[in-house]
Amino acid sequence: MSTPAVAIIYTSNGPVETALSALHHTLPVPIGTQVLAETVCSPINPSDVRQVTGANPFKQKATTKLGTDHPVTVGGNEGLFRVLQVGKDSPLKAGDLCIPRVPGLGTWRTHILCDQTDLVCVPSSLTVEQAATIGVNPLTAYQLLTQFVDLQKGNWVLQNGGNSAVGKLITQMARIMGVNTISVVREREDFESVAEELRDLGATQVITDTQNQDLTFSVAEWIGNSSVRIAFNCVGGTSASALVKKLSQGGTLVTYGALNGADLVIPFATPEFVFKGIVATGYWLTANIMRDPELKIKTLEKVYRYYQQGLLKAPSFSKARCSFEDFAHCYQ
Amino acid sequence: MSTPAVAIIYTSNGPVETALSALHHTLPVPIGTQVLAETVCSPINPSDVRQVTGANPFKQKATTKLGTDHPVTVGGNEGLFRVLQVGKDSPLKAGDLCIPRVPGLGTWRTHILCDQTDLVCVPSSLTVEQAATIGVNPLTAYQLLTQFVDLQKGNWVLQNGGNSAVGKLITQMARIMGVNTISVVREREDFESVAEELRDLGATQVITDTQNQDLTFSVAEWIGNSSVRIAFNCVGGTSASALVKKLSQGGTLVTYGALNGADLVIPFATPEFVFKGIVATGYWLTANIMRDPELKIKTLEKVYRYYQQGLLKAPSFSKARCSFEDFAHCYQ
């Protein structure tokens, strides 16, 4: 018995309004190690949209397995699936909740037929929101905090984009680790209420971008004898340079995004490299997981534990229940 | 019996013409583990001058041991000494050739009285020029090539300032290691003869700064399936950015100087960090040696061997024999 399904596909890069379309197709009964699952929910991340437009260098694989004449690509990298049926050689069972094991599986679809090795089961104790959004932002936050510097209790981390989903997760995870945070957020009328929300999540200090870029503004009084070991930059430009000024000797700047646009530059004065011994590098979850899928599993287990212990709040997001025919409007 | 001596000293930072003066003094007979040595020759490096002016954050220690009322600092970090007399507990002996063990000893003087632990003996098989200049540029070149990336035979390194002393040493040492080099030199009328000199030293390719900064200029044909693992920047600004463009995926940019001025910036587009996985960092020999003096000894031994095997030419420099009273003129 075949299952009717809809997938949001693209055949070439372009604006989401014109590149995406809904593909109605049917999926056969799973055989061997295959799994047939329904989609519980599938987030839309800015990076998913950039894959459609072509701004992201990671290319999802196109396929003709959905019955099309030409290869098509299913959008989306995050999603929560509930297993409906399994082939006789699959260790999964109906009702299991799963997320994609590696990027590029294509999650914007009502149903998926794939090999069981394409999926990772998640604990049923997680909420739908926790499980559906666990694969990108929490992993990014945890790996940023743990892959570059061996942070000790009492150390400080500094970040711009402090009010972003990743920013809030970094703040919460740093608190769990006993690490202090300074979060930079944009100047805004409701700064105090945003700052209070971030402090509630665990931010030690919250400053405005104006304070961050003010060369007379010093964090020395907060830090005392401790160190600002690492700074996380998702903005670029002068905001990133201002983070570097606050790093301690030998500090690390990790760039993981460019909210202000992908071609912004990060100016470094040579003495910061030569005399202050700064290391500047980048982080890209997709490349990290493609290189080492096992690391994803290990990181997920840390995040499960945080959620199960009630130590971590999933970042908020806007929910949309949209018709598959009108899917492109969800991206607006 | 005391020894008359002259040292070039400064008491506060300033332009070399006014900050430096000659101090006539006498040195006593060495006791215990002390050593009295005469200076064979002492190079003047740009970084020595920046210590006098205050542009270099490394501060040499001031002392009243030369008999002054107020603490004075003896300039210079490199020099070759010949031991004249030793205290009864010193393992050194008259005639030994030595260089400073750590930066800041003060080498611009006719004679030095110091503890034997302040000196490292060098093989007498080295020429005076090799021995006197071994402590800075060859160590820098060797450590740049070995401390950041595990270069394999056939890999490529890229550098600007290819015609500098360090640049020529990097080229020669890379050849010894079986590593290919691309050296960027400034546009000049005698480009072909400079390029030929560098190719004679072992440069695989020599390009002009204009070619380096031309976005349509590609090194792909030279590299083939190999990688540009690391680039060395001593210039800054757009020259450094152009090096980054030529680095392979995951490459490293090491900044060790700023020939165009210390406050030049190195612009990085965020995608270079995020998608190309570039690591940018700095190198400072002084900090390196202060942290690990034993590493200096080990690196020196590598360089002795290269010299003794005739594999390495000491970089050329201008020689000056100047009166100590008129010492400041040597810096012009």
Side-chain angles (χ1 to χ4, degrees):
Chain A
M1 201 186 74
S2 62
T3 303
V6 190
I8 302 301
I9 60 154
Y10 57 102
T11 52
S12 59
N13 293 126
V16 287
E17 298 80 1
T18 52
L20 294 176
S21 62
L23 175 71
H24 291 258
H25 58 291
T26 55
L27 296 173
V29 170
I31 56 168
T33 56
Q34 284 181 334
V35 173
L36 175 72
E38 65 179 345
T39 308
V40 180
C41 81
S42 55
I44 302 168
N45 285 310
S47 61
D48 299 332
V49 175
R50 284 196 295 271
Q51 279 178 12
V52 176
T53 62
N56 187 318
F58 176 70
K59 303 289 173 222
Q60 299 181 267
K61 273 192 196 144
T63 177
T64 54
K65 285 185 185 167
L66 303 190
T68 53
D69 294 337
H70 298 289
V72 300
T73 303
V74 182
N77 290 281
E78 266 198 314
L80 180 64
F81 301 112
R82 184 184 293 113
V83 174
L84 296 177
Q85 270 187 286
V86 299
K88 67 178 174 44
D89 301 325
S90 167
L92 302 190
K93 61 182 191 305
D96 280 352
L97 291 170
C98 303
I99 63 172
R101 185 178 296 267
V102 290
L105 190 61
T107 55
W108 296 343
R109 48 171 125 206
T110 57
H111 297 80
I112 189 167
L113 181 78
C114 62
D115 195 82
Q116 60 94 10
T117 55
D118 292 331
L119 301 174
V120 179
C121 283
V122 298
S124 57
S125 59
L126 299 180
T127 67
V128 166
E129 285 80 2
Q130 287 172 346
T133 61
I134 206 168
V136 176
N137 289 335
L139 298 197
T140 297
Y142 187 84
Q143 294 190 350
L144 283 172
L145 282 165
T146 55
Q147 287 203 343
F148 296 91
V149 164
D150 181 22
L151 286 168
Q152 304 296 314
K153 280 189 186 189
N155 285 165
W156 290 73
V157 307
L158 177 63
Q159 62 173 340
N160 56 24
N163 196 34
S164 69
V166 172
K168 287 176 176 173
L169 287 160
I170 286 174
T171 294
Q172 295 180 80
M173 292 181 184
R175 174 168 64 176
I176 299 170
M177 296 172 184
V179 168
N180 297 300
T181 50
I182 303 170
S183 281
V184 182
V185 301
R186 271 173 299 184
E187 206 73 59
R188 61 185 83 205
E189 283 198 1
D190 62 344
F191 173 78
E192 255 319 308
S193 72
V194 169
E196 197 177 325
E197 184 198 347
L198 296 181
R199 285 192 294 260
D200 282 348
L201 290 176
T204 320
Q205 301 289 346
V206 182
I207 62 175
T208 64
D209 197 48
T210 310
Q211 287 174 311
N212 181 40
Q213 301 209 26
D214 173 1
L215 290 182
T216 67
F217 184 87
S218 167
V219 299
E221 198 183 320
W222 297 334
I223 308 307
N225 290 326
S226 194
S227 303
V228 185
R229 303 276 307 281
I230 194 163
F232 304 117
N233 164 50
C234 63
V235 177
T238 51
S239 171
S241 314
L243 296 183
V244 172
K245 299 275 180 215
K246 294 176 188 63
L247 278 172
S248 299
Q249 182 77 28
T252 299
L253 177 81
V254 183
T255 292
Y256 70 96
L259 289 178
N260 284 356
D263 55 355
L264 274 187
V265 299
I266 303 169
F268 285 95
T270 301
E272 284 153 7
F273 282 130
V274 177
F275 299 137
K276 207 174 166 187
I278 299 296
V279 176
T281 187
Y283 171 82
W284 188 23
L285 179 68
T286 300
N288 232 7
I289 292 177
M290 299 304 279
R291 198 165 42 231
D292 185 2
E294 279 311 302
L295 181 63
K296 173 170 177 173
I297 310 297
K298 284 184 200 149
T299 312
L300 279 171
E301 283 162 5
K302 300 281 185 186
V303 181
Y304 298 155
R305 202 165 313 145
Y306 288 161
Y307 274 136
Q308 287 162 346
Q309 295 174 337
L311 295 170
L312 196 64
K313 283 187 198 170
S316 59
F317 45 81
S318 356
K319 289 185 199 175
R321 184 178 290 275
C322 57
S323 116
F324 269 84
E325 303 305 334
D326 201 24
F327 196 72
H329 288 164
C330 294
Y331 301 90
Q332 305 310 312
Chain B
M1 200 187 72
S2 62
T3 304
V6 191
I8 303 302
I9 59 154
Y10 58 104
T11 53
S12 60
N13 293 126
V16 287
E17 297 79 1
T18 53
L20 294 176
S21 62
L23 174 72
H24 291 257
H25 58 291
T26 56
L27 295 172
V29 171
I31 56 170
T33 56
Q34 285 182 334
V35 172
L36 176 72
E38 64 178 347
T39 308
V40 180
C41 80
S42 54
I44 301 169
N45 284 310
S47 61
D48 300 332
V49 176
R50 285 196 295 271
Q51 279 177 12
V52 176
T53 63
N56 187 319
F58 177 70
K59 303 289 173 222
Q60 300 182 265
K61 273 193 198 143
T63 177
T64 54
K65 285 185 184 166
L66 304 190
T68 52
D69 293 336
H70 299 289
V72 301
T73 304
V74 181
N77 289 281
E78 266 197 316
L80 179 65
F81 301 112
R82 184 183 294 112
V83 174
L84 296 176
Q85 269 188 287
V86 299
K88 66 180 175 45
D89 301 323
S90 167
L92 303 190
K93 59 183 193 305
D96 281 351
L97 291 170
C98 302
I99 62 171
R101 184 179 295 265
V102 289
L105 189 63
T107 55
W108 297 342
R109 47 172 126 207
T110 57
H111 298 79
I112 188 167
L113 181 78
C114 61
D115 194 83
Q116 60 95 9
T117 55
D118 293 330
L119 301 174
V120 179
C121 282
V122 297
S124 59
S125 59
L126 298 181
T127 67
V128 166
E129 285 80 2
Q130 287 171 345
T133 61
I134 206 168
V136 176
N137 289 335
L139 298 198
T140 296
Y142 188 83
Q143 295 191 351
L144 283 172
L145 282 165
T146 54
Q147 287 203 343
F148 296 91
V149 164
D150 181 23
L151 286 167
Q152 304 296 316
K153 280 190 184 187
N155 285 165
W156 290 72
V157 305
L158 177 62
Q159 61 174 341
N160 57 24
N163 196 34
S164 69
V166 171
K168 287 176 177 173
L169 287 160
I170 286 174
T171 294
Q172 295 179 79
M173 291 182 185
R175 174 168 63 176
I176 299 170
M177 296 171 184
V179 167
N180 297 301
T181 49
I182 303 170
S183 282
V184 181
V185 301
R186 272 173 298 183
E187 206 72 61
R188 62 185 84 207
E189 284 199 359
D190 62 343
F191 173 79
E192 255 319 309
S193 73
V194 169
E196 196 176 327
E197 184 198 347
L198 296 181
R199 284 191 294 260
D200 281 347
L201 290 177
T204 320
Q205 299 290 345
V206 183
I207 62 177
T208 65
D209 198 47
T210 309
Q211 287 173 312
N212 182 40
Q213 301 209 26
D214 174 1
L215 291 183
T216 66
F217 185 86
S218 167
V219 299
E221 198 183 322
W222 296 335
I223 309 306
N225 290 326
S226 194
S227 303
V228 186
R229 302 277 307 280
I230 194 164
F232 304 116
N233 164 50
C234 64
V235 177
T238 51
S239 171
S241 314
L243 296 183
V244 172
K245 299 273 180 218
K246 294 176 188 62
L247 277 173
S248 299
Q249 182 78 27
T252 298
L253 176 81
V254 183
T255 291
Y256 69 96
L259 289 178
N260 284 357
D263 55 356
L264 274 187
V265 299
I266 303 168
F268 285 95
T270 300
E272 284 154 6
F273 282 130
V274 177
F275 299 136
K276 207 173 167 188
I278 299 296
V279 176
T281 189
Y283 171 82
W284 187 24
L285 178 67
T286 299
N288 232 7
I289 291 177
M290 298 303 280
R291 197 164 44 230
D292 185 2
E294 278 311 301
L295 180 65
K296 173 169 177 173
I297 310 298
K298 283 183 200 151
T299 312
L300 279 171
E301 283 162 4
K302 300 282 184 185
V303 181
Y304 298 156
R305 201 165 313 146
Y306 288 162
Y307 275 136
Q308 286 163 346
Q309 294 174 337
L311 295 170
L312 194 64
K313 282 187 198 172
S316 59
F317 45 82
S318 356
K319 288 185 201 176
R321 185 178 290 276
C322 56
S323 117
F324 270 85
E325 303 304 334
D326 201 23
F327 197 71
H329 288 163
C330 294
Y331 302 88
Q332 306 310 311

